[in-house]
Amino acid sequence: MINISLPDGSIRQFDQPVTVYDVAESIGSGLAKAAIAGKVSTISDQETTSTGTEGRLVDTSYLIEQDTALSIITAKDKEGLEIIRHSTAHLMAYAVQELYPDAQVTIGPVIENGFYYDFAYKRPFTPEDLEKIEQKMHELAKKDEVVTREVWDRPDAIKFFKEIGEDYKAEIIESIPENEQLTMYREGDFIDLCRGPHVPSTGKLKVFKLMKVAGAYWRGDSSNEMLQRIYGTAWATKQEQDQYLTMLEEAEKRDHRKLGRELDLFHFQEEAPGLIFWHPKGWQIWQQVEQYMRSVYVNNGYQEIKAPQILDISLWKKTGHWDNYQDNMFTTESENRVYGLKPMNCPGHVQIFNSGLHSYRELPIRYGEFGQCHRNEPSGSLHGLMRVRGFTQDDGHIFCTEDQLQEECAKFTELLQRVYKDFGFTEVLYKVATRPEKRIGSDEVWDKSEAALMESLEKSGCVYEVSPGEGAFYGPKIEYTLKDAIGRHWQCGTIQVDFSMPERLGAEYVAADDTRKTPVMLHRAILGSFERFIGMLIEDYAGAMPPWLAPEHVKVCTISGQFDDYALDVVKRLKEKGFRASADIRNEKINRKVRENAMQKLPYILVVGEKERQDGTVSVRARGNHNLGVMPVEDFIQRLADDIALKRDVTVAKAES
């Protein structure tokens, strides 16, 4: 008798081995029809895990031969959507080879919101090719061909793929460890190497779209040949796909690289790959962010410091960065010494802590730095402000006792929430990233660190997810992710527990019993990379920054040249109050002036003519072509001051007026 335990706690018994599909059908024909895969966990599986609940994904054809915990996976499950996307990648490769038999398939994984597959083909794929491939995919899906899993011997698999001209696939198989089982998935005339699982038949794949073609080096190595990567997206329902495509259209309008050019904020050029040339307007945004964060430091017990840009690699070796991170570090030499250009700020902060002897009464000590870092990111991964080689972090390190650990983590979460709210973000997602396979420190230390982070979030009332294996090599971390105006998620803040680096670098404090102890070090950042955060702000606000962040608050436009002196006087009064203002006194029609300045997404445009000059007033237009009427200059000054003090946007100010 085989016992199948289901998620609702019920148990179904079978007198012989059954497939996942058989179990689903025994529950109901509707579930059997919706089933995409199963998640199984046998007693032997549970003995190898800490909770016994992880399970492994299997096809619906998987044969259950012993007592097993089973969940039926459908398109509504996160795992189900990933399986749909992976299966759609195979469907795309199937369609490509139907249309272009000479094309070789290589690798095709699931990515966020979709999938891709790399192909070797004699000519570039065109947009017209993508349309044909997508049409063929729909034809193949309608055939509802069964997808079957097969186990092959290694020599047979290599021979098969070489004989059909799939040299890349044969090379992949040759690189797989000999003790690893080789599985193939077949649908119709197409067969591909894959671990699976996959949908039971192609008819399960109904909602997908091919997006674009890009170049990609074989195995990601620039010394290898260039392949063609076709990207696609796939969803459980058409409504979900439509929402995603609408979001992409909106995201394209908000692209910070496009807005950076249009609003004259920054630029990049080939002579400095991954590095930014900030223009006056863009640097003004930067300065507002930095001065705000400086006030956060001052008001929350942080001491601002500055550490060197380069440090001898002997220090990076002590911290463990050299062994774990050297491929991402820039180095330089002088007088027969090798230095590392810092990729992070923590070792320098420990040196400042070590420069004097500290008592337990001084702890916690909180250091903050706007630290400029450099990382040797691959050129193919660079992406505007979001992924650069030179960046500045609002980086801080807290040195505390073990007893202070949870309280400091909880305080940091509360501070971070307040900061994000000021920038306009109210929805924060929390993840605890636990120990990676490659790490330093004992399991006991990792147990203690992970528990402290989880308990601090629980005490703060935060619901969180666990990301197994995604912690830093020196310690676990909390990742704070923001949701922007069009529903995208951005991981920004972090706090990381580190018992190892302070010990490696000899950090000590004098405890209450006069013994020397090693402090716990918390690595923390709220915004993370300034560059990335500003790029995110530009996209979140679509370039229309709220007044407290805007590069320019006001443009004063004249109806004709005879009112230039009055406009310049208004600008002078605004500047005396600390506002960023200028006049547009060009010999142009007022409608053109207003239109062109509105395209710069200024919070306010003021129009002045004869009546305004006589009455000492201004005609006020808020961003979005909202006419707020005529008001005394002093009233407008107060309005703008309130906008900035309350960190509100002009649209909110209009609604409240």
Side-chain angles (χ1 to χ4, degrees), residues 565-607:
D565 289 344
Y566 180 60
L568 293 171
D569 181 64
V570 171
V571 168
K572 180 182 176 183
R573 292 170 66 181
L574 288 165
K575 286 185 172 181
E576 287 173 348
K577 296 293 184 180
F579 302 126
R580 299 183 285 280
S582 62
D584 187 344
I585 55 177
R586 294 176 297 158
N587 185 24
E588 299 285 356
K589 291 183 178 180
I590 187 62
N591 287 343
R592 180 172 181 175
K593 290 182 182 181
V594 170
R595 182 174 64 253
E596 290 180 354
N597 284 294
M599 290 175 65
Q600 290 299 302
K601 303 181 184 288
L602 294 159
Y604 290 103
I605 296 172
L606 307 183
V607 176

Side-chain angles (χ1 to χ4, degrees), residues 90 94 145-150 152 160 183-194 198-202:
H90 277 231
Y94 184 6
E145 294 177 312
V146 174
V147 179
T148 58
R149 178 180 183 271
E150 302 173 5
W152 284 39
F160 170 79
T183 55
M184 306 289 175
Y185 279 82
R186 185 190 299 272
E187 49 197 271
D189 295 328
F190 178 74
I191 187 166
D192 199 4
L193 170 74
C194 191
H198 283 280
V199 295
S201 68
T202 59

Side-chain angles (χ1 to χ4, degrees), residues 55-112:
R56 56 193 176 95
L57 293 170
V58 296
D59 299 295
T60 56
S61 60
Y62 175 79
L63 191 65
I64 301 172
E65 300 179 287
Q66 59 179 306
D67 292 354
T68 300
L70 171 66
S71 298
I72 304 297
I73 302 299
T74 71
K76 295 179 180 179
D77 298 303
K78 179 182 177 182
E79 299 99 323
L81 184 55
E82 289 191 359
I83 292 168
I84 284 174
R85 288 171 175 163
H86 196 179
S87 297
T88 307
H90 277 231
L91 183 68
M92 178 176 71
Y94 184 6
V96 167
Q97 290 206 318
E98 286 280 298
L99 293 168
Y100 313 102
D102 294 339
Q104 293 189 58
V105 299
T106 62
I107 297 172
V110 172
I111 57 174
E112 185 178 9

Side-chain angles (χ1 to χ4, degrees), residues 546-548 577 579 604 634-650 652-653 656-657:
W548 75 281
K577 296 293 184 180
F579 302 126
Y604 290 103
E634 287 302 321
D635 287 0
F636 174 72
I637 286 174
Q638 185 59 54
R639 178 188 192 87
L640 182 53
D642 290 344
D643 288 348
I644 293 170
L646 297 172
K647 293 184 172 58
R648 70 184 179 187
D649 206 350
V650 293
V652 176
E656 293 174 350
S657 63

Side-chain angles (χ1 to χ4, degrees), residues 7-23:
D8 63 0
S10 64
I11 296 177
R12 290 187 174 258
Q13 294 185 324
F14 299 87
D15 56 9
Q16 61 184 8
V18 289
T19 65
V20 170
Y21 177 84
D22 293 333
V23 178

Side-chain angles (χ1 to χ4, degrees), residues 130-179:
L130 291 196
E131 291 179 13
K132 292 178 183 177
I133 295 167
E134 188 175 314
Q135 183 179 354
K136 176 60 72 172
M137 290 169 67
H138 282 292
E139 292 174 8
L140 296 172
K142 285 179 182 177
K143 288 184 177 181
D144 197 23
E145 294 177 312
V146 174
V147 179
T148 58
R149 178 180 183 271
E150 302 173 5
V151 178
W152 284 39
D153 290 331
R154 181 190 182 90
D156 292 342
I158 294 172
K159 180 182 177 183
F160 170 79
F161 282 109
K162 284 186 174 180
E163 285 179 349
I164 63 172
E166 291 283 0
D167 297 328
Y168 292 93
K169 198 66 68 174
E171 183 179 329
I172 293 171
I173 295 171
E174 288 172 342
S175 68
I176 296 174
E178 292 189 10
N179 60 347

Side-chain angles (χ1 to χ4, degrees), residues 299-448:
N299 296 329
N300 291 276
Y302 287 85
Q303 303 173 70
E304 188 176 341
I305 58 175
K306 191 71 174 176
Q309 285 289 101
I310 62 172
L311 296 166
D312 191 290
I313 62 166
S314 61
L315 187 61
W316 298 110
K317 288 179 178 178
K318 283 183 183 178
T319 63
H321 286 96
W322 190 252
D323 291 336
N324 292 275
Y325 211 76
Q326 61 177 296
D327 290 343
N328 294 92
M329 291 177 66
F330 290 103
T331 58
T332 185
E333 294 185 25
S334 177
E335 297 180 340
N336 298 318
R337 294 179 69 180
V338 181
Y339 298 88
L341 193 60
K342 67 175 179 178
M344 58 271 297
N345 303 293
C346 34
H349 290 197
V350 179
Q351 304 314 304
I352 294 173
F353 180 87
N354 287 352
S355 65
L357 186 61
H358 300 283
S359 164
Y360 71 96
R361 293 187 180 90
E362 298 176 65
L363 304 185
I365 290 175
R366 306 182 186 99
Y367 291 147
E369 178 182 4
F370 302 115
Q372 190 171 5
C373 301
H374 289 81
R375 295 179 185 175
N376 190 14
E377 302 284 0
S379 59
S381 70
L382 301 177
H383 180 77
L385 300 179
M386 304 306 191
R387 191 74 175 267
V388 292
R389 286 176 172 167
F391 59 95
T392 298
Q393 290 181 310
D394 67 314
D395 206 3
H397 293 88
I398 301 170
F399 296 87
C400 63
T401 67
E402 285 189 37
D403 292 340
Q404 295 168 331
L405 179 56
Q406 280 186 25
E407 182 181 0
E408 285 300 305
C409 291
K411 282 182 178 178
F412 176 72
T413 296
E414 292 170 8
L415 172 61
L416 175 140
Q417 291 168 336
R418 294 198 300 272
V419 170
Y420 287 166
K421 185 176 180 182
D422 281 346
F423 281 106
F425 299 103
T426 56
E427 187 171 341
V428 185
L429 307 177
Y430 306 90
K431 289 185 180 180
V432 177
T434 59
R435 68 197 75 184
E437 185 175 338
K438 191 176 183 181
R439 60 183 183 270
I440 59 177
S442 67
D443 286 343
E444 180 184 0
V445 165
W446 279 88
D447 290 341
K448 191 185 302 181

